[in-house]
Amino acid sequence: MKPTVQVPFGEQRQAWLDATIARLDPERLKRLLFALTDIHSPTGAARDASQFMAATLGGIGMNARYMPMNERTGNVLAEKRGSGGGAAVMLYCPIDTHLEGNEDDQPWVGPSHFVDLHPKAKLLGDWVYGLGASNPKGMIATLTEVATALIEAEVPLTGDLLFGLADGGMPVDIAARDHAGMSNGLHHLLARGAAADFAIIMKPWNFVYHEEPGIGWFKLRILGSYGYAGVPRGTPGFRSSIVPAATVIPELEQWLIDYAERNTSGVVKPHGWIAGIRSGSDERPSFPSAVTELFFDVRINPRTSPAEVKAQFAAFMRDLSARFPDLELEWEMYGSVPGGTTDPDNWIIQSARRGWEAIEGQPHPVPDPLGGQTDGAALRRYGVPTARIGWPWPATGSPEPLAEGLGGMGATYIPDLMPCAQKIAYALIDTLTRPRSELGLS
């Protein structure tokens, strides 16, 4: 990775940054995060949270509006115009949570008693808990605090500060709510006035990223015959679809590992995991199913198309069928989202890195390989150069027990967010106080 391009920040911008940082208020951020976490916003049903944030952004001095997509949900677009002649920079975040926060999540997310799995906010010192309290709502609250401090510091903006929030940012497909997910809200937002020269998205991990992977969703079916528990093994005409899955699963797992290694480039390592196994009915345990289905997500490097990934998996399936000719297999790719990348030399990437270095007091390191997918990939595909800036995650030292793994992404330690807020403030002042000609824009 090349060293960060250094551009003079100057005494005046440093004074504006100091004034902005002085107005960053962790208590105010905590109050907003608590209130927002207490408003449930599952994918495809984020209306209340979005309307709350439209009012909040309007209250800090931005021109904000709620943009409905249907009666259940909508997006938010807010603007603070500068004097003119500068760039439009959008602070962006999804607003939906990845879980339903009710009995539909059980038993698949594990024990239900953990505080981070429920759409009810809880405050304990500097900790805020509740479904989505870290991702995405901790990010929304932090970006709002940065915008508030910038406005309160009366930084004379040349460019326009935009703030975008959209439903559908989670990698899900909720059929009952107009197939919400897979960045559908961002597409709606960008088509309705969210025109930005640059974007900044806040997501976990304390690095600046210029690219993110896409998504490939696959189903692999193992075919057999419908059976009955009273049928002896070896009966002609009966083949289990379930027992052969024990052969297929380790083969698929190894392919996913090899795929990630083979397709790693840039800062993206496109991992994949088997997400589920489906067969039969617990209401009819006497009748073994004729089909056992595996479904999984494999991430897609920005330099690899979904079609190329599909071709790689097709080659694996041909090889698997050749080595196990007794297996009868079918498969399909049922979801695909390309990755997205921004030139690492682009102004917004370099500005974000300069902000990172100014706050951390050291050169930006080579970031850890990234497999997580966000709306940032879609922003880049739509031609908006986008920097992803993060904070140390997951939070450590929680006084409350949390669900294992990702859980509800619902535990935030407020002091962890403040350095990231300062870095974003730097990038905004560095960018929004310059004419377009200094930013590589016409």
Side-chain angles (χ1 to χ4, degrees), residues 36 39-55 65-76 95-97 137 165-168 177 180:
L36 182 57
I39 304 173
H40 194 23
S41 57
T43 303
R47 181 188 63 194
D48 291 347
S50 293
Q51 289 180 333
F52 170 80
M53 284 306 305
R65 56 192 171 115
Y66 172 69
M67 306 167 68
M69 290 192 287
N70 55 46
E71 71 279 2
R72 294 181 304 271
T73 198
N75 305 319
V76 180
I95 198 167
D96 54 310
T97 60
K137 296 182 180 182
L165 298 169
D167 189 8
R177 301 186 196 126

Side-chain angles (χ1 to χ4, degrees), residues 39-237:
I39 304 173
H40 194 23
S41 57
T43 303
R47 181 188 63 194
D48 291 347
S50 293
Q51 289 180 333
F52 170 80
M53 284 306 305
T56 298
L57 293 169
I60 68 171
M62 301 190 79
N63 180 14
R65 56 192 171 115
Y66 172 69
M67 306 167 68
M69 290 192 287
N70 55 46
E71 71 279 2
R72 294 181 304 271
T73 198
N75 305 319
V76 180
L77 181 61
E79 181 181 36
K80 179 69 174 178
R81 288 191 181 176
S83 59
V89 181
M90 181 165 64
L91 299 177
Y92 175 78
C93 193
I95 198 167
D96 54 310
T97 60
H98 67 305
L99 298 177
E100 291 295 308
N102 59 25
E103 63 278 1
D104 291 344
D105 297 335
Q106 300 300 324
W108 317 115
V109 301
S112 63
H113 63 276
F114 291 109
V115 66
D116 56 319
L117 294 174
H118 298 279
K120 177 68 176 175
K122 179 177 181 178
L123 187 62
L124 192 59
D126 281 331
W127 288 84
V128 180
Y129 298 99
L131 179 61
S134 174
N135 184 350
K137 296 182 180 182
M139 305 176 309
I140 295 171
T142 304
L143 295 177
T144 303
E145 183 58 33
V146 173
T148 303
L150 191 74
I151 292 169
E152 288 183 346
E154 298 182 345
V155 177
L157 304 182
T158 303
D160 300 333
L161 174 63
L162 304 180
F163 202 121
L165 298 169
D167 189 8
M170 294 298 157
V172 298
D173 179 19
I174 309 300
R177 301 186 196 126
D178 300 328
H179 290 277
M182 308 280 276
S183 298
N184 74 305
L186 177 62
H187 299 161
H188 181 276
L189 185 73
L190 291 176
R192 289 163 178 82
D197 295 294
F198 305 113
I200 294 173
I201 184 169
M202 184 179 170
K203 277 285 179 175
W205 295 301
N206 188 23
F207 301 103
V208 174
Y209 287 101
H210 66 278
E211 61 184 8
E212 294 172 77
I215 292 173
W217 288 350
F218 290 86
K219 293 178 183 177
L220 192 165
R221 298 184 185 90
I222 305 158
L223 307 183
S225 52
Y226 196 60
Y228 175 56
V231 173
R233 283 170 174 75
T235 298

Side-chain angles (χ1 to χ4, degrees), residues 136-371:
K137 296 182 180 182
M139 305 176 309
I140 295 171
T142 304
L143 295 177
T144 303
E145 183 58 33
V146 173
T148 303
L150 191 74
I151 292 169
E152 288 183 346
E154 298 182 345
V155 177
L157 304 182
T158 303
D160 300 333
L161 174 63
L162 304 180
F163 202 121
L165 298 169
D167 189 8
M170 294 298 157
V172 298
D173 179 19
I174 309 300
R177 301 186 196 126
D178 300 328
H179 290 277
M182 308 280 276
S183 298
N184 74 305
L186 177 62
H187 299 161
H188 181 276
L189 185 73
L190 291 176
R192 289 163 178 82
D197 295 294
F198 305 113
I200 294 173
I201 184 169
M202 184 179 170
K203 277 285 179 175
W205 295 301
N206 188 23
F207 301 103
V208 174
Y209 287 101
H210 66 278
E211 61 184 8
E212 294 172 77
I215 292 173
W217 288 350
F218 290 86
K219 293 178 183 177
L220 192 165
R221 298 184 185 90
I222 305 158
L223 307 183
S225 52
Y226 196 60
Y228 175 56
V231 173
R233 283 170 174 75
T235 298
F238 174 72
R239 293 181 300 112
S240 171
S241 71
I242 298 169
V243 174
T247 297
V248 174
I249 288 171
E251 294 286 336
L252 176 58
E253 171 70 2
Q254 187 60 53
W255 181 81
L256 290 169
I257 294 169
D258 295 342
Y259 165 89
E261 296 294 337
R262 188 170 60 247
N263 289 278
T264 295
S265 68
V267 297
V268 171
K269 185 169 186 176
H271 297 284
W273 282 93
I274 301 171
I277 305 169
R278 183 163 49 199
S279 187
S281 166
D282 60 359
E283 296 177 339
R284 294 176 174 82
S286 296
F287 301 94
S289 174
V291 178
T292 297
E293 185 175 72
L294 311 178
F295 50 97
F296 61 95
D297 177 340
V298 58
R299 295 301 159 95
I300 299 177
N301 195 293
R303 284 156 292 281
T304 307
S305 72
E308 290 176 78
V309 174
K310 183 178 179 182
Q312 290 186 42
F313 185 69
F316 161 71
M317 290 300 297
R318 289 194 297 271
D319 175 71
L320 184 65
S321 295
R323 289 187 291 112
F324 299 95
D326 291 339
L327 297 180
E328 186 175 356
L329 306 173
E330 295 179 347
W331 66 273
E332 64 176 303
M333 186 182 206
Y334 71 102
S336 60
V337 174
T341 188
T342 294
D343 185 337
D345 292 330
N346 185 275
W347 171 273
I348 197 62
I349 305 300
Q350 294 298 315
S351 179
R353 286 180 54 173
R354 288 193 293 272
W356 193 99
E357 294 178 350
I359 302 306
E360 295 285 345
Q362 60 178 316
H364 190 280
V366 175
D368 293 341
L370 184 64

